[in-house]
Amino acid sequence: MTFPIVRHRRLRQSAAIRGMVRETVLTVDDLIQPIFVTYGSGVRNEISSMPGVFHFSLDTLEQEVKEIVDLGIPAVLLFGIPESKDSVGTPAFIDNGIVQEATRKIKSLYPDLLVVADTCLCEFTDHGHCGMVHTFERDGHVCGDVLNDESLELLVRTAVSQAKAGADIIAPSNMMDGFVQAIRSGLDEAGFNYIPIMSYSVKYASAFYGPFREAADSAPQFGDRKTYQMDPANAREALREAESDVLEGADMLMVKPALAFMDIIRMLRDQFDLPLVAYNVSGEYSMVKAAAQNGWINERAIVMEMLLGMKRAGADIIITYFAKDVARWLRSDR
């Protein structure tokens, strides 16, 4: 049967009907709010390229976390900016590292808030890469090779130290081959076999990370990350990356960035049955904020449509700097 017997607009006639037949729903339980923590006191500094996102010192962190909890957001993702850096990222895995200290503080204040610890070295290395680097000169320029296998031990130490501090979920973002297997084994050997791994399984070498580099002070000092992060032109490779992580023991899979890679989210959703995370990254956030501040777009409508698209593509969880905004909007709609 077809028109005029079939009229699709019948199911769009009122808000009540539209709500009744709505296929995709975004809730506050879907959200994770990233937080940037640093040393010092009284620090609550807005990141210039990310309006509304701040660096927090440990003494100002409580107010931010209280707001997140009061809004009903179930989880935070912690990034740390250390006092000093070295060639192997030592501040990432020491017991009194900034992420470890922030984790302890948050769990002491709000034990039920999930703390997801980003497990990488780039914020903590003086060269800005996500692992150990062998450096050399070529034509008068400093170059380097990121050493995959040698980096795994450091990533394991980081994950274990984060778990000891009370992190509920370990989220390795380094894109080294074999990182899930190494971290899973390290966590299990240290007695943390119950701690899940949220793997940055499909992480592209993306231009959308620009504002994050400022926020985390993690820009590479030479070269780029294209030898270990994925080429944005590739899709089938994403399935190979994700399959490796599944076989190595990942508990959740992630696609990063999200907005330009909705097809990849759908591919993983169709192929794997693990919970799927979409990372709505800094560049996606900042360009919406900038357009909204110029009065070019309706920020709320754009953000909700964008995040619904990620859910519709297959994401179960969304990491987004809009999490607090979305939680407020959802609450106001009740």
Side-chain angles (χ1 to χ4, degrees):
M1 292 185 292
T2 185
F3 179 84
I5 297 172
V6 174
R7 291 182 181 267
H8 300 290
R9 289 181 56 191
R10 292 185 188 119
L11 299 183
R12 304 171 192 155
Q13 293 306 300
S14 68
I17 292 177
R18 291 192 297 272
M20 185 181 296
V21 300
R22 185 163 293 132
E23 300 172 20
T24 305
V25 178
L26 180 68
T27 75
V28 70
D29 290 329
D30 302 325
L31 305 175
I32 297 176
Q33 173 73 52
I35 300 180
F36 296 95
V37 288
T38 189
Y39 286 99
S41 61
V43 177
R44 187 183 181 274
N45 298 332
E46 189 171 32
I47 298 161
S48 62
S49 59
M50 299 179 69
V53 179
F54 295 80
H55 289 131
F56 296 97
S57 53
L58 292 175
D59 60 325
T60 63
L61 184 60
E62 181 174 354
Q63 181 180 352
E64 173 71 2
V65 176
K66 182 180 186 303
E67 183 180 12
I68 289 168
V69 170
D70 288 346
L71 287 168
I73 297 168
V76 295
L77 172 62
L78 287 184
F79 296 99
I81 297 90
E83 286 185 299
S84 61
K85 305 184 180 192
D86 62 26
S87 62
V88 296
T90 302
F93 49 79
I94 56 177
D95 286 341
N96 62 341
I98 186 61
V99 170
Q100 289 81 354
E101 292 291 348
T103 299
R104 292 187 189 98
K105 185 175 183 68
I106 292 171
K107 296 304 289 186
S108 70
L109 294 168
Y110 299 102
D112 294 332
L113 181 66
L114 292 174
V115 173
V116 184
D118 180 79
T119 307
C120 197
L121 302 177
C122 61
E123 299 110 292
F124 305 95
T125 55
D126 52 17
H127 47 72
H129 283 283
C130 301
M132 290 181 63
V133 171
H134 167 64
T135 58
F136 55 92
E137 282 197 13
R138 178 181 294 158
D139 300 327
H141 299 286
V142 176
C143 302
D145 293 324
V146 177
L147 304 175
N148 190 95
D149 295 10
E150 293 85 345
S151 300
L152 295 179
E153 179 184 351
L154 302 179
L155 294 164
V156 170
R157 292 177 65 182
T158 301
V160 171
S161 71
Q162 292 169 338
K164 285 180 178 178
D168 299 286
I169 299 171
I170 297 299
S173 60
N174 53 87
M175 288 297 284
M176 297 295 109
D177 289 336
F179 70 93
V180 172
Q181 179 176 295
I183 290 172
R184 182 73 273 158
S185 296
L187 289 172
D188 291 355
E189 289 172 9
F192 297 107
N193 58 305
Y194 56 88
I195 297 288
I197 294 176
M198 177 190 289
S199 175
Y200 286 64
S201 299
V202 181
K203 183 178 179 181
Y204 285 92
S206 171
F208 282 100
Y209 303 149
F212 179 89
R213 303 279 165 82
E214 176 197 351
D217 188 25
S218 63
Q221 298 303 299
F222 54 84
D224 53 42
R225 295 177 178 149
K226 294 180 179 178
T227 62
Y228 48 101
Q229 295 179 0
M230 281 183 53
D231 185 341
N234 292 357
R236 295 189 302 273
E237 182 184 1
L239 295 178
R240 299 197 297 272
E241 286 279 3
E243 183 178 25
S244 292
D245 288 0
V246 171
L247 295 173
E248 291 176 18
D251 300 282
M252 292 175 262
L253 306 176
M254 187 191 300
V255 175
K256 180 182 180 183
L259 192 58
F261 299 93
M262 297 281 201
D263 59 322
I264 308 301
I265 296 172
R266 171 47 56 188
M267 286 175 64
L268 264 64
R269 176 74 292 144
D270 290 343
Q271 190 71 24
F272 305 104
D273 59 6
L274 291 180
L276 185 56
V277 184
Y279 198 143
N280 177 213
V281 300
S282 61
E284 299 166 2
Y285 173 86
S286 295
M287 66 185 187
V288 171
K289 283 290 186 182
Q293 288 178 352
N294 278 284
W296 297 336
I297 60 171
N298 179 323
E299 180 180 352
R300 174 174 173 170
I302 289 287
V303 171
M304 295 301 286
E305 185 174 331
M306 185 167 63
L307 300 191
L308 273 171
M310 296 169 195
K311 285 289 300 287
R312 191 182 66 250
D316 301 294
I317 302 163
I318 301 174
I319 300 170
T320 177
Y321 302 96
F322 288 113
K324 291 194 298 181
D325 293 329
V326 172
R328 293 188 194 97
W329 295 333
L330 290 172
R331 181 169 290 181
S332 71
D333 288 340
R334 290 177 184 170

